[in-house]
């Protein structure tokens, strides 16, 4: 059982490290071609960046990329007192917390200053509105909230994931109100704080549309 638990944990961590992080890089990245001296670098193909965005949004809600199969978790109980075999403990809660941590680490990469700067830079290079920070954050918000997670107990991880994303957008909007506050929390501000404010506000607007007017006061507070 310990081998199965360790293998499952390694597999999930490896996917988020090797694939999840790469999706963020593809969303904001440049393609290098050293054989073309007239154009050594250019944005990653739009179709590839769109595909990376779609895959990342889906991964944030994919239960198969969050937890091992429930059949394995049910076999993974351990005794609190291994000498007298007293008191069984199953770490379901720790698996859920680890799944949320993997997802939120990916969210933080999406919202780094470098990422926000490059979304708008690539949009400027291509004159493509959907690739701006506003377009990226709005699309990911839509992915997380349509359809809405239900109130069913089985959707506790989805609800926590959506809440974590909305909280990060709220903090981003608050930080972007002035350069001093932004730099105190996140380091050097991007060249356009106005675009960051617009992106965070627009993404929260998508959330308001999805959640309903009753949620507006809580989201914008």
């Amino acid at each position: 059982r310990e081998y199965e638990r360790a293998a499952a944990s390694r597999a999930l961590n490896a996917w988020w490290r090797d694939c999840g992080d790469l999706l963020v890089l593809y969303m904001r990245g440049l393609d290098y071609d050293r054989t073309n001296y007239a154009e050594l670098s250019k944005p990653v193909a739009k179709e590839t960046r769109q595909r990376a965005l779609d895959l990342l949004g889906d991964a944030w809600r994919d239960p198969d990329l969050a937890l091992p199969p429930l059949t394995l978790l049910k076999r993974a109980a351990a005794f609190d007192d291994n000498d007298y075999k007293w008191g069984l403990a199953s770490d379901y809660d720790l698996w859920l917390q680890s799944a949320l941590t993997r997802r939120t680490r990916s969210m933080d990469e999406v919202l780094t200053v470098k990422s926000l700067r490059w979304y708008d830079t690539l949009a400027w290079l291509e004159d493509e509105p959907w690739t701006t920070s506003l377009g990226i954050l709005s699309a990911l918000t839509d992915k997380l909230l349509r359809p809405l997670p239900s109130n069913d107990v089985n959707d506790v991880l989805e609800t926590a994931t959506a809440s974590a994303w909305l909280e990060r957008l709220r903090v981003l909007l608050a930080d972007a109100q002035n350069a001093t506050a932004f730099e105190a929390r996140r380091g050097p501000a991007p060249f356009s704080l106005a675009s960051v404010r617009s992106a965070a506000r627009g993404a929260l607007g998508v959330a308001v549309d999805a959640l309903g007017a009753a949620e507006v006061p809580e989201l914008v507070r």
Side-chain angles (χ1 to χ4, degrees), residues 5 7 14-15 20 40 44-45 48 59 84 95-96 112 127 180 184 193 211:
R5 285 157 52 90
W15 191 94
L40 288 175
V44 171
T48 301
Y84 294 97
W95 279 104
L96 287 169
T112 62
D127 193 23
T180 302
L193 265 183
L211 295 171

Side-chain angles (χ1 to χ4, degrees), residues 26-69:
Y26 274 114
M27 283 167 49
R28 74 181 188 206
L30 290 177
D31 186 24
Y32 294 92
D33 182 0
R34 290 179 174 80
T35 66
N36 181 359
Y37 289 102
E39 190 180 58
L40 288 175
S41 69
K42 60 184 178 181
V44 171
K46 287 178 284 189
E47 296 78 10
T48 301
R49 300 207 313 275
Q50 178 67 60
R51 179 64 174 156
L53 186 153
D54 290 338
L55 287 173
L56 184 64
D58 291 340
W60 285 352
R61 299 190 71 165
D62 190 339
D64 292 334
L65 294 175
L67 299 168

